[in-house]
C-alpha cells in the first residue's frame, strides 16, 4: 500500500483507491516550504478579515500549519475527529471519481505544490489549493454535509463523451502551465483548444451542469449578503491574487440559485461574476432542487437517452427495483414512453445495489434487452398482478404464452420461472424457446438460449456507473499524462540549499551561521531571487539586526526595479514582517 490507511479510507471501493498515490513528503524542497509559508502567512493575514469565520477556526481544527506543508496522512489523525480523511492524487482526476471520494468523506488533495514563479495562482490543483482551501471549511458541519451530499449526487450525474474530452484538455493545460519552460505558443494552443471545446459542447450534460454548481460554490463561492459577502470557496481561499480580486466592485455579485447551474466558467480567465449564498443550508437546498431535475430522480425516456448519449457505463432502474447496468445502445419509444431498452456488451442485473445471482456480466456478456411497460389492452401491470392474476393471464411456470406489450412489442415462448424480490414482486421472467419482435423486427431468437425479461412498468431512475460496484472491473483508469516535475540542475540545487539554511536558522538549527555573510552570498549568486531575501529580512528584524535589515531592504528595492512583476509580492512580504499587510 502506497499510503497510510485508516477506518475512513478502508471503506473506499477499490476503483477509487487506484487514484491514490503516496505524498512523498521528503520530495518537498526548502523552496516549496517557503512558497507554502509565504502564501499561508499572507492568506491568513488577509482572509481573517474577509473569509467566513469557519476558515480560521478550521485551520486549527484540521491541523494545517502556516509554517510547513502539511503531511496529509498525518492530517488524517486530526481530520478523523470530524469524520473526514484526505488522500494524495496526481493533479486532476475524472470529475465523477472526484465527487465519489467526497461521498465517502474523503478530500482529494493534489500533493504537488506550485512553483515559486506561479506563487499567486496556478491552474493546476496543488496542495495549497486543496489543503489550505478545501480542508479548513469542512470543519463547519453544515458545509461538510453539503460537500458529502454533493459528492453522493454528483457521482451519479450522467456525462457526455465531450465532457471527458474537455477534462483531458483541462488536465493537459494545467500540467504544461505549471511545468517550467513550457513555450508560450504551446500554452496558447492548449487554451485555444479548451476554448474551442467549450464553444462546441452542445446541450450541457448533467455532469457539466453540476460541475458548474461545484465551481460557483465549492471553488469560487461567497457567503453572506450581496453587499458584504465573505469567502468560503477553496479557489479563492488558496489564491493570494484572487482572494483580493473577488472583493472588487467590478466583479458582479449575484444571488446563488438553481439557475447558476447554467452559468459556465472558464478556468483560463478571471470570472466576471461570483455567486453569494445567504448560508450553507441554502447550498443544500439548491443541490436538492438540482437533483430533482436529474435522470437519477426523473428516469423515463429522457433518462435512457442520456445514458445512450453518454456512451459509458450506467444504470437504469425500473419501477420494480430491478437495476440494469451496462452501456446502453438503444431505446424504443411509443407515445413518448420507453417500451424497449437494450445494452451492448457486458451487462449485470441487480436489486438494491446488489447483483442478482445468475445475472452477472458473464451471464449477459453480449448485452441485454427487454420490454418495459404494460401489456396491450390490460390496465394492470405485470408487477402489480397477484398470483391469481398471473395465473389468469397464463403468466405461469411451463405455460406457453404470447405477451403483447403496448407499442407493438411481442414476447413469445415458454415460461421457465420467475425471480421475485423480498416483497414478492416479480423482477424477471425467464423463457425458453423465446422470440421477441417489434413490429416484425426480430430482437431475440430461440436459438440464443434462455431469455430473461425484465419486469417494470417504467424507468424510475437513470444514473452514471453500475448498481453494484463489484459487477464490473472498474480498475482501468490510466492517466494519459502525469504532472511534470521541475528539473533540478546544479544551480537549482544550490538555491534550494540556501533556502534550507535560512529555514534551519529560523527553526533554531545551525544558528552559528552568519546571516550577513549568507545574505552577501545569496545577493551575489542569486540576485534575481526575491523570496529568500524576504525571509532573511524577517530573520534580521527578529534578531534586531537593523543595519542588515536595511541592507536587505535596499537590495529588494533593486530586485523590484529589475523584476517589476514581483514588486507587489516583495512589498507584501516586507509588510507582513513589519506587521501590517498592504490592503
Amino acid at each position: 500500500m502506497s499510503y497510510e490507511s485508516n477506518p475512513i479510507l478502508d471503506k473506499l471501493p477499490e476503483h477509487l483507491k487506484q487514484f491514490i498515490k503516496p505524498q512523498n513528503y521528503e520530495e518537498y524542497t526548502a523552496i516549496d516550504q517557503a512558497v507554502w509559508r509565504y502564501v499561508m502567512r499572507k492568506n491568513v493575514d488577509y482572509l481573517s478579515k474577509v473569509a467566513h469565520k469557519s476558515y480560521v477556526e478550521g485551520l486549527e481544527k484540521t491541523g494545517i500549519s502556516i509554517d510547513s506543508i502539511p503531511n496529509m496522512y498525518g492530517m488524517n489523525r486530526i481530520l478523523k475527529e470530524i469524520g473526514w480523511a484526505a488522500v494524495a492524487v496526481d493533479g486532476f482526476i475524472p470529475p465523477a471519481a472526484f465527487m465519489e471520494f467526497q461521498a465517502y468523506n474523503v478530500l482529494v488533495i493534489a500533493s504537488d505544490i506550485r512553483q515559486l514563479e506561479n506563487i499567486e495562482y496556478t491552474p493546476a490543483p496543488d496542495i495549497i489549493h486543496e489543503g489550505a482551501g478545501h480542508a479548513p471549511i469542512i470543519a463547519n458541519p453544515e458545509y461538510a454535509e453539503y460537500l458529502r451530499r454533493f459528492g453522493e449526487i454528483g457521482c451519479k450525474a450522467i456525462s457526455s463523451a465531450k465532457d471527458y474530452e474537455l477534462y483531458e484538455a483541462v488536465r493537459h493545460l494545467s500540467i504544461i502551465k505549471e511545468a517550467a519552460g513550457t513555450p508560450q505558443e504551446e500554452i496558447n494552443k492548449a487554451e485555444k483548444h479548451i476554448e474551442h471545446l467549450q464553444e462546441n459542447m452542445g446541450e450541457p450534460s448533467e455532469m457539466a451542469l453540476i460541475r458548474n454548481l461545484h465551481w460557483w460554490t465549492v471553488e469560487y463561492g461567497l457567503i453572506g449578503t450581496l453587499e458584504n459577502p465573505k469567502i468560503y470557496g477553496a479557489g479563492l481561499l488558496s489564491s493570494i491574487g484572487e482572494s483580493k480580486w473577488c472583493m472588487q466592485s467590478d466583479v458582479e455579485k449575484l444571488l446563488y440559485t438553481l439557475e447558476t447551474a447554467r452559468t459556465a466558467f472558464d478556468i483560463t480567465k478571471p470570472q466576471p461574476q461570483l455567486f453569494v449564498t445567504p448560508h450553507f443550508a441554502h447550498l443544500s437546498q439548491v443541490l436538492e432542487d438540482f437533483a430533482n431535475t436529474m435522470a437519477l430522480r426523473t428516469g423515463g425516456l429522457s433518462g435512457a437517452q442520456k445514458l445512450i448519449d453518454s456512451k459509458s457505463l450506467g444504470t437504469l432502474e425500473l419501477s420494480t427495483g430491478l437495476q440494469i447496468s451496462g452501456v446502453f445502445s438503444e431505446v424504443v419509444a411509443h407515445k413518448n414512453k420507453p417500451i424497449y431498452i437494450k445494452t451492448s456488451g457486458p451487462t449485470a442485473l441487480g436489486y438494491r445495489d446488489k447483483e442478482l445471482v445468475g445475472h452477472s456480466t458473464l451471464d449477459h456478456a453480449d448485452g441485454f434487452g427487454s420490454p418495459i411497460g404494460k401489456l396491450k389492452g390490460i390496465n394492470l401491470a405485470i408487477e402489480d398482478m397477484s398470483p391469481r392474476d398471473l395465473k389468469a393471464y397464463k403468466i405461469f411456470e411451463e405455460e406457453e404464452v404470447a405477451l403483447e406489450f403496448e407499442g407493438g412489442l411481442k414476447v413469445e415462448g415458454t415460461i421457465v420461472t420467475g425471480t421475485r424480490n423480498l416483497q414478492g414482486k416479480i423482477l424477471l421472467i425467464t423463457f425458453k424457446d423465446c422470440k421477441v419482435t417489434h413490429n416484425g423486427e426480430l430482437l431475440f431468437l430461440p436459438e440464443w438460449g434462455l431469455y430473461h425479461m425484465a419486469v417494470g412498468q417504467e424507468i424510475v431512475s437513470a444514473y452514471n456507473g453500475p448498481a453494484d460496484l463489484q459487477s464490473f472491473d472498474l480498475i482501468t483508469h490510466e492517466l494519459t499524462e502525469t504532472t511534470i516535475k521541475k528539473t533540478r540542475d546544479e544551480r537549482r540545487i544550490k538555491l534550494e540549499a540556501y533556502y534550507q539554511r535560512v529555514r534551519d536558522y529560523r527553526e533554531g538549527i545551525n544558528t552559528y551561521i552568519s546571516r550577513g555573510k549568507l545574505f552577501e552570498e545569496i545577493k551575489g549568486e542569486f540576485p534575481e531571487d526575491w523570496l529568500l531575501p524576504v525571509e532573511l529580512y524577517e530573520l534580521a528584524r527578529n534578531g534586531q539586526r537593523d543595519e542588515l535589515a536595511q541592507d536587505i531592504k535596499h537590495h529588494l528595492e533593486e530586485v523590484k526595479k529589475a523584476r517589476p512583476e514581483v514588486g507587489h509580492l516583495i512589498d507584501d512580504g516586507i509588510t507582513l514582517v513589519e506587521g501590517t499587510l498592504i490592503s
Side-chain angles (χ1 to χ4, degrees):
M1 186 177 290
S2 62
Y3 61 94
E4 182 183 332
S5 196
N6 61 43
I8 294 173
L9 299 183
D10 288 342
K11 290 184 172 67
L12 287 174
E14 292 301 316
H15 73 279
L16 289 182
K17 291 179 182 177
Q18 69 185 313
F19 296 102
I20 302 174
K21 57 169 275 188
Q23 186 181 12
N24 296 328
Y25 195 89
E26 68 283 354
E27 292 183 7
Y28 294 122
T29 68
I31 297 177
D32 296 331
Q33 296 284 1
V35 167
W36 170 274
R37 185 170 183 268
Y38 179 90
V39 173
M40 288 301 295
R41 291 182 76 211
K42 189 173 174 186
N43 271 5
V44 170
D45 183 273
Y46 176 66
L47 291 172
S48 61
K49 306 177 187 76
V50 298
H52 187 265
K53 63 179 183 178
S54 295
Y55 173 74
V56 176
E57 294 171 3
L59 283 174
E60 187 175 339
K61 284 184 182 176
T62 51
I64 295 173
S65 163
I66 290 174
D67 288 323
S68 300
I69 297 170
N71 182 321
M72 65 185 73
Y73 295 114
M75 264 173 65
N76 278 337
R77 297 185 189 98
I78 299 172
L79 284 173
K80 72 178 181 182
E81 299 301 321
I82 56 174
W84 281 72
V87 294
V89 297
D90 182 26
F92 283 111
I93 64 173
F98 181 90
M99 292 186 192
E100 196 174 354
F101 270 108
Q102 284 183 193
Y104 284 92
N105 282 22
V106 175
L107 279 179
V108 172
I109 297 180
S111 57
D112 290 327
I113 187 166
R114 65 196 65 178
Q115 297 177 56
L116 175 56
E117 294 75 16
N118 297 335
I119 195 168
E120 287 194 279
Y121 169 77
T122 174
D126 77 333
I127 196 163
I128 292 178
H129 171 84
E130 312 283 359
H134 288 296
I137 301 295
I138 64 164
N140 180 292
E142 184 75 39
Y143 182 74
E145 173 55 20
Y146 166 71
L147 207 60
R148 185 202 67 77
R149 184 70 172 149
F150 197 106
E152 194 172 50
I153 292 171
C155 70
K156 299 294 187 185
I158 301 171
S159 299
S160 71
K162 289 184 178 180
D163 287 333
Y164 197 78
E165 191 178 354
L166 180 61
Y167 154 73
E168 289 280 13
V170 168
R171 179 177 167 83
H172 172 67
L173 175 64
S174 73
I175 289 172
I176 63 171
K177 262 193 143 178
E178 186 59 26
T182 304
Q184 188 59 43
E185 57 267 28
E186 188 178 343
I187 293 172
N188 294 342
K189 182 181 176 183
E191 288 181 341
K192 282 192 174 74
H193 180 51
I194 288 176
E195 202 172 305
H196 173 75
L197 289 175
Q198 288 176 330
E199 290 171 356
N200 294 276
M201 292 295 287
E203 179 63 22
S205 67
E206 290 180 351
M207 181 57 79
L209 293 174
I210 204 165
R211 280 183 67 235
N212 288 343
L213 292 183
H214 193 270
W215 181 266
W216 298 121
T217 61
V218 176
E219 296 294 349
Y220 277 76
L222 298 176
I223 187 168
T225 64
L226 295 179
E227 298 74 29
N228 184 31
K230 298 293 185 183
I231 297 170
Y232 74 91
L236 298 173
L237 292 175
S238 61
S239 170
I240 55 183
E242 289 187 291
S243 58
K244 280 189 176 180
W245 154 82
C246 76
M247 288 301 177
Q248 296 173 7
S249 57
D250 53 349
V251 178
E252 189 177 9
K253 312 298 191 300
L254 303 170
L255 183 64
Y256 178 67
T257 68
L258 181 58
E259 287 305 306
T260 306
R262 292 281 168 183
T263 304
F265 61 89
D266 185 345
I267 71 157
T268 66
K269 299 170 185 172
Q271 310 307 317
Q273 78 286 302
L274 294 174
F275 294 88
V276 184
T277 183
H279 40 70
F280 287 138
H282 180 69
L283 299 179
S284 297
Q285 182 58 59
V286 172
L287 177 61
E288 290 302 318
D289 291 343
F290 180 79
N292 287 337
T293 71
M294 290 171 60
L296 173 69
R297 294 184 181 175
T298 61
L301 179 61
S302 65
Q305 193 59 55
K306 283 179 181 179
L307 281 182
I308 292 169
D309 293 342
S310 77
K311 299 177 182 176
S312 57
L313 177 60
T315 297
L316 288 179
E317 183 171 326
L318 305 185
S319 45
T320 52
L322 180 71
Q323 296 162 317
I324 305 163
S325 299
V327 178
F328 289 84
S329 56
E330 185 182 350
V331 59
V332 178
H334 175 70
K335 293 184 178 179
N336 207 35
K337 288 185 177 181
I339 60 169
Y340 181 82
I341 49 95
K342 184 176 182 295
T343 65
S344 297
T347 304
L349 307 182
Y351 179 71
R352 292 187 174 178
D353 299 338
K354 187 175 180 182
E355 182 179 287
L356 293 176
V357 175
H359 295 284
S360 70
T361 55
L362 296 176
D363 301 293
H364 302 286
D366 300 318
F368 178 84
S370 178
I372 299 168
K374 287 184 177 181
L375 295 171
K376 186 177 180 180
I378 300 175
N379 286 328
L380 193 62
I382 295 176
E383 65 192 80
D384 295 326
M385 290 182 180
S386 67
R388 187 174 295 173
D389 295 325
L390 290 169
K391 195 159 190 179
Y393 289 109
K394 294 192 174 181
I395 304 174
F396 204 73
E397 185 181 347
E398 296 185 354
E399 289 282 358
E400 189 174 331
V401 296
L403 303 177
E404 185 174 356
F405 288 80
E406 293 176 343
L409 202 136
K410 292 182 181 177
V411 178
E412 302 169 82
T414 302
I415 295 176
V416 176
T417 187
T419 302
R420 296 176 182 270
N421 66 18
L422 288 173
Q423 284 72 40
K425 280 195 173 186
I426 294 182
L427 301 176
L428 286 166
I429 298 174
T430 300
F431 295 80
K432 65 180 180 181
D433 302 325
C434 187
K435 181 172 71 170
V436 182
T437 58
H438 176 246
N439 293 335
E441 179 188 356
L442 287 167
L443 301 175
F444 192 90
L445 296 174
E447 54 264 36
W448 294 356
L450 294 176
Y451 179 69
H452 304 281
M453 185 185 83
V455 176
Q457 186 177 343
E458 57 186 344
I459 297 171
V460 296
S461 183
Y463 54 87
N464 170 68
D468 186 339
L469 296 174
Q470 305 303 316
S471 294
F472 294 81
D473 178 12
L474 302 176
I475 308 176
T476 56
H477 181 73
E478 291 183 15
L479 292 174
T480 51
E481 63 182 321
T482 57
T483 51
I484 301 167
K485 304 295 182 185
K486 189 173 180 67
T487 305
R488 297 169 69 231
D489 55 19
E490 283 185 24
R491 181 170 171 77
R492 181 75 177 186
I493 292 168
K494 191 166 190 177
L495 180 61
E496 288 171 3
Y498 277 124
Y499 269 88
Q500 187 63 54
R501 286 167 71 182
V502 171
R503 185 173 180 82
D504 287 346
Y505 199 102
R506 191 176 58 249
E507 293 178 352
I509 304 169
N510 297 335
T511 52
Y512 58 85
I513 297 171
S514 166
R515 284 163 289 182
K517 185 172 182 296
L518 191 57
F519 169 59
E520 291 301 323
E521 287 182 26
I522 292 166
K523 186 171 67 169
E525 295 194 49
F526 298 96
E528 76 289 348
D529 188 87
W530 66 271
L531 181 54
L532 193 49
V534 167
E535 294 220 319
L536 270 175
Y537 178 68
E538 180 186 2
L539 286 177
R541 289 269 303 195
N542 291 345
Q544 297 182 326
R545 296 282 302 278
D546 295 340
E547 188 177 339
L548 177 59
Q550 284 305 114
D551 288 345
I552 296 171
K553 202 169 184 180
H554 177 73
H555 168 67
L556 285 167
E557 289 298 322
E558 295 302 311
V559 176
K560 284 165 63 176
K561 290 176 187 175
R563 300 183 62 196
E565 73 279 7
V566 300
H568 65 291
L569 295 170
I570 292 171
D571 289 341
D572 285 353
I574 288 172
T575 48
L576 263 177
V577 172
E578 294 175 351
T580 53
L581 186 66
I582 295 172
S583 61

